Amino acid sequence: MADHGVYHSLGDQQDPANPHSGTQPAAPQFRPPAAPAPTGYNSASSYGSHMPQQQYGGTPQPAYQHQAMSSQEQGYFPPQQSPASPYDGAMGGLASQMGSMGLGQDGSAPARANKKKHRHAYHNLDQPVGSSQAFNGMPQGDINPSQYLNSNQPQPMTPGHPYGGQNITPAMNQFPALGGAPYTPGGTPAAHGMAPSLPVPSGPSVSGQGRVDPEQIPSVPRSRDVPAEYYLDHIYHTMEQHLPPPGAVPFIAYDQGNSSPKFARLTLNNIPSSSEALHATALPLGLLLQPLAPIAPGEQPIPVLDFGEPGPPRCRRCRTYINPFMTFRSGGNKFVCNMCTFPNDVAPEYFAPTDPSGVRVDREQRPELRLGTVEFMVPKEYWAKEPVGLHWLFVIDVGQEAINRGFLEAFCEGILGALYGEDYNKADEVEPNGDTPETIRSLPLGAKVGFVTFDKDIHFYNCNASLEQPQMLVMPDIEEPFVPLGSEGLFVDPYECKSIITSLLGQIPKLFSDVKNPEPALLPTLNAALESLTATGGKIICSLSALPTWGPGRLFMRDDNKLHGIETERKLFQTEHAGWKKAATKMVESGVGVDFFIASPGGVYMDIATIGHVSAQSGGETFFYPNFHAQRDALKLSLEIRHTITRETGYQALMKVRCSNGLQVSSYHGNFLQHTFGADLEFGVIDADKAFGVMFSYDGKLDAKLDAHFQCALLYTSANGERRVRCTNTVASVSEGAIESMRYIDQDAVVNMIAKEAATRMTERTLKEIRAALTEKTIDILAGYRKAFSGSHPPGQLVLPENLKEFSMFTLGLLKCRAFKAGAEPSDRRTYTMRLLKSASALELSLLLYPRIIPLHSLPPESGFPSTETGMPFPSPFPSPFPNPTNPTPTSGHLLVPHSLRASFSRIEDGGAYLVDDGQTCLLWLHAQVSPNLLEDLFGPTATSLQALDPFLNALPVLETHLNCQARNILAYWASLRGSKALTVQLARQGLDGAEYEFARLLVEDRNGEAQSYVDWLVHVHRGIQLELAGQRGKVEGEGVGAAGLRAMGW
């Protein structure tokens, strides 16, 4: 490849006619909804002459000492003593088992000189490698420091810190990076390519008595809070920083040619050149893709480019789309593919001359040559059928259970709220000039909706605007159903026909209130719905509240406790019904997908393995409501229907992933249809929340002088009826050995790839084998690092890579999730979680494996309100809260979110109130001795005790109290950092609510779910590493669970 002009320089000029020219993103203006302001609030009226920092008692926990909380008056009850750690009693035994446990900064491996040519996406690999330093560098008690500490002193912090920038070498100008000084938010420009460093969280320590200190083992909350604070006022530049932020951290990305981590995350951002070097690390080489991921306000919108009839330029050999890493030769007459290095002729209509350095003179006007993620309009040769606006078909269960449980009424109201907003019952206001204002559309122009209901029969509805009221046509023949309506009657514009649709959805619950058929016929209804969408493609939104036991495709009770825990249990996680499999395949071929909203009254069996198979294979999603109560769950149902309709959605989709010579795709993981290995992935629908995993293997050796490139091409029809290809381009450097690769590990991507592969294996292996394989994989990765890259440490020391410090905790969370956990668990719950893992994004999986917990009783008064600082370079990418009522001065500051607690009962204080969120449900746990004053401030004057609270509460009331506004702002912030599941509050009162068992399950650092505590788990992993280092691991394991078979799983 060419030297200096291999990748084109960005330059610092801006083309006024081109909105995507090489400029920094403008300061984003975030104003999503948050908690409303308490009106007429007087801080002195409730709290006296001043606001105590700790209103509800309780001694501040050690995790909050850094907030410099001042001494304060006694709160509503006497201060509690911090609870003793549950590990104290057994700590001596743990210490003897582990030998010496030092998880410290490993600075033993000096960076070797880079002797190869500078042709990499980034070069400075002198970041310290290793783990957290034992004792924080200080010996404690009478312990001999040499027993625990690294023999080499850790290297000082460099600009190559994971949250800072890398030094820019002269060859960085090969890439679409900034030509001038980098953008430094809110201050004087820093040195070129440099960014402020973050402090590294201190590592674990050992007490003077030789006991492991649970306080100091790697902390997931700390690993989130530190980068979250950093990215409040820093932009992530995709070509200058090469270790993405953690998945649960909001950030603003600036696309410089390498796609944002929101769209693509590599497990290794520096790839070993050979399979042997990768095998030594035991790490997976994979790519986590979320092609339609939502972007934060203020980020560059994805440009849509139209090349007319010829279509976008592509490589003639490997069919890679034009991207920023293709180079031009022969004065611009040829472009060289960055995947296969094939020289292609440039079409006359795309020709532009190059300057003496080989850069096209029109590069600044070409977003496809500057941005890592772009979309191309494609000509008719890419069409399977004429593109039209997305057709939505609502298929509504009107059976007995849906009526009795209030699910039918809640679902109809959810549809109305999603289409027309909360004020759908109000008539359109008329302006003074007599015109009716344009309705705010939740669906794009060209989109249409239709309605079908079903019980034993199928009912179609004609909602044409020319009718005075909707018409219902009944289809009693469910053996061979057909559509009795033309598309003009069944599918209508929801805003032209608002009055008719509002009338219909209001009448449906009353219409079927006296019918009450207990057995729904679901499969015939889905086949009829598919027939109505075959000509156009579209999406089905289907509700269900009872096991479909009527007509063709009838299902029966398969779940039996006798099958749990044995080999045949895996049959409960898949369908063997030919009719349902055929329906799923036909949906994908027709460009149709389905989202199910399944309510399980009383927790009855719903056979999600069979029903959800249709949604999973067609690219849809299943929303599951076990033990549905309308009073509590109607709000969650309504919000999730709205999210489903309003998120970015495409249909008739195909996806292909291409990679550089020397690599090949070995497997895909996710919810899709793939007819044969190597074929394109097919989706009926695809939306912004869906993620996929792609695993790569070597088919040769990579050239360490070149970079490794990856391109994901998603061909789909957008909701407004345009046929497009979204291209996501990712680049990684290549190194001869694996030592440099260890410095650029993306922990979230590694965990996500392992979780997706484990979920895929659930239909092939027993749960016991999968749990053992996850344990083996954890030990393999940490032992591989220990053997190859940290040989200077004492043999008895547990050493963790700096970028994998929390990896052990995430794998423990994976072992405890509902899909893989030991013990009794309904097969519906396991299957639902299995499919969730296969489609989860980095954010969704991170929260699922380790929830975020915030104490409400000890919130500092400024938490939950905007920062009083002004002049922020840009607000953070989450909702703007209402200003603090005690200091209502408008600011442009970000929300002050308190640090999260570790998920352990040892952190729970007597009399406390805690918000716990795992991305699926949000619990408000209240201790039995919680202060009545706290309850009154949080819920209102009538809430004087736990028993007085509404057990079906789903949201906090809007009150004129400081604490109430704090809590609602935090919930609004959390609601913006989730996947597809809506955030509503569920009460978990100690000793009163069944949700308390869920709260205990979410404390993943404790011993629960028939799994170990975090400390015990580290002991177990450390023992396995020691056996591996001693060469005895294979012998011991061979006598146990069959380790040889586990390693044959492909991990």
Side-chain angles (χ1 to χ4, degrees):
M1 300 179 70
D3 41 17
H4 182 77
V6 149
Y7 306 137
H8 311 307
S9 172
L10 177 62
D12 53 4
Q13 66 272 22
Q14 178 182 5
D15 179 13
N18 181 20
H20 304 291
S21 59
T23 60
Q24 296 289 341
Q29 300 298 321
F30 301 106
R31 288 295 178 267
T39 57
Y41 179 78
N42 184 351
S43 62
S45 61
S46 298
Y47 295 93
S49 59
H50 66 279
M51 178 69 65
Q53 292 194 8
Q54 185 108 356
Q55 302 106 329
Y56 307 109
T59 303
Q61 302 184 33
Y64 282 85
Q65 290 177 356
H66 68 279
Q67 295 175 349
M69 299 175 66
S70 61
S71 59
Q72 48 205 287
E73 292 185 359
Q74 180 174 327
Y76 294 137
F77 54 89
Q80 305 286 335
Q81 294 296 326
S82 297
S85 170
Y87 306 109
D88 289 347
M91 204 51 63
L94 294 178
S96 63
Q97 292 173 11
M98 296 186 68
S100 57
M101 178 180 175
L103 298 92
Q105 182 85 7
D106 176 14
S108 60
R112 63 181 178 84
N114 184 4
K115 297 182 179 180
K116 53 182 176 276
K117 293 183 179 180
H118 292 296
R119 292 181 178 176
H120 297 280
Y122 40 90
H123 307 282
N124 281 356
L125 300 169
D126 52 355
Q127 176 184 342
V129 178
S131 51
S132 318
Q133 181 179 345
F135 310 133
N136 234 4
M138 296 296 294
Q140 305 202 358
D142 298 327
I143 299 176
N144 180 9
S146 63
Q147 182 182 0
Y148 300 98
L149 300 182
N150 299 343
S151 57
N152 297 336
Q153 292 296 324
Q155 300 177 12
M157 281 298 300
T158 68
H161 188 272
Y163 308 118
Q166 324 295 326
N167 287 334
I168 295 184
T169 65
M172 279 296 289
N173 287 330
Q174 299 170 356
F175 300 89
L178 295 176
Y183 175 68
T184 306
T188 306
H192 191 59
M194 306 286 285
S197 299
L198 284 183
V200 178
S202 60
S205 64
V206 179
S207 69
Q209 290 76 27
R211 299 184 302 181
V212 177
D213 184 3
E215 187 79 24
Q216 297 299 321
I217 57 180
S219 167
V220 173
R222 188 184 301 124
S223 72
R224 292 171 177 169
D225 292 337
V226 173
E229 292 176 357
Y230 177 83
Y231 283 108
L232 286 174
D233 54 2
H234 291 83
I235 291 176
Y236 178 85
H237 296 81
T238 62
M239 286 299 294
E240 296 176 25
Q241 295 164 272
H242 312 291
L243 195 60
V249 170
F251 64 96
I252 297 289
Y254 178 48
D255 190 340
Q256 297 175 307
N258 193 25
S259 286
S260 165
K262 296 178 180 180
F263 301 109
R265 301 176 77 109
L266 277 167
T267 57
L268 297 173
N269 292 283
N270 182 291
I271 300 174
S273 61
S274 65
S275 59
E276 293 78 11
L278 178 66
H279 181 73
T281 68
L283 288 164
L285 177 56
L287 181 64
L288 178 63
L289 292 167
Q290 192 178 354
L292 299 181
I295 61 175
E299 290 184 332
Q300 303 173 76
I302 307 301
V304 181
L305 312 175
D306 190 355
F307 286 86
E309 197 61 33
R314 303 180 66 180
C315 173
R316 288 192 292 116
R317 176 192 285 175
C318 67
R319 306 302 291 162
T320 298
Y321 289 86
I322 190 74
N323 62 74
F325 304 104
M326 288 187 172
T327 57
F328 289 83
R329 294 180 178 174
S330 303
N333 287 290
K334 289 185 179 292
F335 68 89
V336 179
C337 177
N338 59 314
M339 299 288 180
C340 64
T341 68
F342 182 76
N344 297 266
D345 293 331
V346 176
E349 62 272 11
Y350 192 65
F351 173 80
T354 58
D355 61 20
S357 63
V359 178
R360 281 176 61 118
V361 297
D362 66 341
R363 183 176 176 279
E364 291 304 314
Q365 290 75 43
R366 294 287 186 181
E368 73 275 12
L369 299 180
R370 296 185 299 104
L371 302 178
T373 304
V374 295
E375 285 195 337
F376 301 110
M377 300 284 289
V378 292
K380 291 185 177 181
E381 62 188 83
Y382 292 81
W383 295 4
K385 57 186 71 173
E386 184 76 23
V388 296
L390 184 57
H391 285 47
W392 298 83
L393 184 61
F394 295 93
V395 178
I396 306 171
D397 177 13
V398 293
Q400 178 177 332
E401 283 291 344
I403 296 171
N404 292 344
R405 300 286 182 169
F407 185 61
L408 173 59
E409 183 177 358
F411 193 75
C412 291
E413 290 180 355
I415 296 173
L416 287 171
L419 292 177
Y420 308 116
E422 297 179 357
D423 299 330
Y424 58 84
N425 284 322
K426 294 183 179 180
D428 291 335
E429 299 179 359
V430 179
E431 295 180 349
N433 59 4
D435 296 336
T436 301
E438 184 178 353
T439 305
I440 299 177
R441 302 180 63 101
S442 57
L443 297 179
L445 289 172
K448 295 185 177 182
V449 298
F451 299 92
V452 173
T453 59
F454 71 99
D455 45 22
K456 285 186 177 181
D457 302 322
I458 308 172
H459 323 102
F460 296 85
Y461 296 88
N462 186 348
C463 296
N464 195 286
S466 61
L467 301 175
E468 294 184 359
Q469 60 182 8
Q471 296 177 344
M472 180 175 73
L473 289 84
V474 180
M475 172 57 60
D477 183 7
I478 61 174
E479 297 293 333
E480 295 181 0
F482 62 92
V483 182
L485 277 175
S487 60
E488 293 300 322
L490 183 59
F491 292 101
V492 297
D493 187 302
Y495 302 100
E496 293 179 359
C497 308
K498 177 181 177 180
S499 59
I500 294 180
I501 292 175
T502 302
S503 173
L504 171 64
L505 293 176
Q507 293 176 15
I508 284 178
K510 303 174 185 176
L511 186 63
F512 292 93
S513 60
D514 297 328
V515 180
K516 296 186 178 179
N517 284 319
E519 298 180 283
L522 179 57
L523 183 59
T525 306
L526 290 177
N527 287 330
L530 172 60
E531 183 179 345
S532 68
L533 290 168
T534 299
T536 60
K539 187 164 187 178
I540 299 170
I541 306 294
C542 180
S543 68
L544 183 67
S545 58
L547 188 67
T549 56
W550 187 263
R554 64 178 64 88
L555 302 176
F556 58 92
M557 176 70 177
R558 291 197 298 153
D559 197 1
D560 188 343
N561 290 335
K562 296 179 181 178
L563 298 176
H564 293 181
I566 62 176
E567 180 118 7
T568 54
E569 183 181 14
R570 62 174 179 262
K571 293 183 179 180
L572 299 176
F573 309 142
Q574 55 188 320
T575 181
E576 297 178 354
H577 198 293
W580 289 86
K581 289 184 176 181
K582 182 179 179 182
T585 303
K586 288 179 64 177
M587 281 190 178
V588 177
E589 292 173 351
S590 302
V592 176
V594 56
D595 282 357
F596 284 111
F597 291 81
I598 301 178
S600 174
V604 299
Y605 177 67
M606 298 295 292
D607 200 354
I608 287 181
T610 298
I611 298 172
H613 172 79
V614 179
S615 62
Q617 196 159 51
S618 65
E621 186 170 1
T622 298
F623 295 84
F624 185 42
Y625 307 91
N627 197 22
F628 178 85
H629 287 276
Q631 185 179 352
R632 180 191 66 200
D633 298 324
L635 176 61
K636 183 177 179 67
L637 173 65
S638 177
L639 292 175
E640 288 176 349
I641 294 173
R642 179 180 303 178
H643 178 76
T644 298
I645 291 176
T646 56
R647 65 186 172 187
E648 184 174 4
T649 303
Y651 66 103
Q652 297 181 34
L654 297 172
M655 192 174 83
K656 180 77 171 180
V657 176
R658 298 176 174 87
C659 54
S660 293
N661 286 342
L663 295 174
Q664 61 184 356
V665 174
S666 60
S667 61
Y668 292 96
H669 300 288
N671 295 326
F672 50 78
L673 175 64
Q674 187 179 26
H675 289 290
T676 59
F677 178 74
D680 294 349
L681 306 187
E682 299 181 39
F683 311 89
V685 294
I686 185 171
D687 58 64
D689 295 315
K690 298 299 178 294
F692 314 94
V694 188
M695 295 290 290
F696 300 97
S697 61
Y698 289 80
D699 63 356
K701 186 174 181 180
L702 295 176
D703 187 351
K705 298 179 181 179
L706 304 176
D707 297 309
H709 297 272
F710 306 87
Q711 184 181 82
C712 167
L714 176 69
L715 174 65
Y716 73 104
T717 303
S718 64
N720 62 354
E722 294 178 347
R723 194 69 171 159
R724 302 176 179 176
V725 171
R726 174 166 291 197
C727 288
T728 304
N729 300 284
T730 309
V731 63
S733 61
V734 179
S735 59
E736 291 288 353
I739 180 64
E740 294 176 353
S741 302
M742 298 300 293
R743 298 168 182 168
Y744 295 101
I745 300 173
D746 185 340
Q747 179 174 253
D748 287 277
V750 171
V751 172
N752 209 300
M753 297 304 302
I754 292 175
K756 282 177 166 49
E757 186 163 2
T760 303
R761 303 288 183 180
M762 280 185 65
T763 58
E764 305 169 7
R765 299 299 182 104
T766 66
L767 295 177
K768 185 177 181 180
E769 288 176 330
I770 292 176
R771 288 192 296 270
L774 289 170
T775 304
E776 294 297 300
K777 188 62 177 176
T778 304
I779 295 174
D780 285 342
I781 290 174
L782 299 180
Y785 174 78
R786 186 71 174 85
K787 286 190 295 185
F789 311 115
S790 61
S792 61
H793 295 276
Q797 187 175 10
L798 176 60
V799 183
L800 302 179
E802 180 63 33
N803 296 329
L804 289 176
K805 286 191 300 184
E806 298 80 27
F807 175 67
S808 297
M809 183 62 248
F810 281 122
T811 53
L812 179 60
L814 199 58
L815 292 172
K816 292 184 176 184
C817 77
R818 293 188 186 275
F820 307 124
K821 67 184 287 288
E825 190 71 26
S827 64
D828 277 348
R829 289 285 191 98
R830 290 196 188 274
T831 308
Y832 170 79
T833 308
M834 173 191 75
R835 294 193 174 123
L836 174 63
L837 292 175
K838 292 171 69 175
S839 64
S841 63
L843 165 64
E844 198 165 20
L845 184 67
S846 179
L847 294 178
L848 181 69
L849 300 186
Y850 198 101
R852 45 195 174 189
I853 303 176
I854 286 182
L856 294 181
H857 61 281
S858 58
L859 284 178
E862 67 275 6
S863 290
F865 294 109
S867 168
T868 56
E869 298 178 11
T870 57
M872 299 289 288
F874 56 84
S876 54
F878 49 74
S880 295
F882 193 85
N884 189 334
T886 62
N887 181 21
T889 304
T891 70
S892 60
H894 56 80
L895 185 76
L896 293 174
V897 181
H899 287 188
S900 301
L901 296 183
R902 299 182 73 144
S904 172
F905 198 76
S906 64
R907 306 308 178 98
I908 303 302
E909 293 182 337
D910 291 345
Y914 297 86
L915 285 173
V916 187
D917 176 35
D918 70 344
Q920 309 298 309
T921 58
C922 180
L923 301 179
L924 174 53
W925 187 84
L926 300 170
H927 191 272
Q929 301 174 9
V930 69
S931 167
N933 292 349
L934 183 147
L935 295 178
E936 185 176 342
D937 285 350
L938 201 56
F939 300 104
T942 60
T944 56
S945 66
L946 291 182
Q947 290 76 10
L949 298 179
D950 181 4
F952 299 119
L953 177 137
N954 55 23
L956 294 179
V958 180
L959 302 177
E960 298 180 0
T961 63
H962 190 91
L963 178 66
N964 181 271
C965 194
Q966 283 180 301
R968 287 184 290 112
N969 272 333
I970 291 172
L971 290 173
Y973 161 73
W974 277 2
S976 70
L977 295 176
R978 291 168 73 88
S980 58
K981 308 304 184 294
L983 186 144
T984 57
V985 175
Q986 182 175 353
L987 280 184
R989 299 168 295 176
Q990 188 179 32
L992 294 176
D993 297 318
E996 190 179 3
Y997 292 99
E998 179 69 7
F999 172 72
R1001 189 188 70 83
L1002 294 177
L1003 299 178
V1004 290
E1005 290 198 16
D1006 293 339
R1007 180 179 178 86
N1008 53 26
E1010 299 192 16
Q1012 297 165 306
S1013 68
Y1014 187 16
V1015 171
D1016 292 342
W1017 169 246
L1018 286 176
V1019 169
H1020 179 71
V1021 170
H1022 186 219
R1023 186 184 300 116
I1025 295 172
Q1026 288 180 313
L1027 291 173
E1028 179 71 22
L1029 295 177
Q1032 300 175 358
R1033 183 171 163 221
K1035 297 178 183 178
V1036 175
E1037 292 171 350
E1039 301 169 1
V1041 194
L1046 292 175
R1047 298 204 176 186
M1049 293 177 68
W1051 296 353

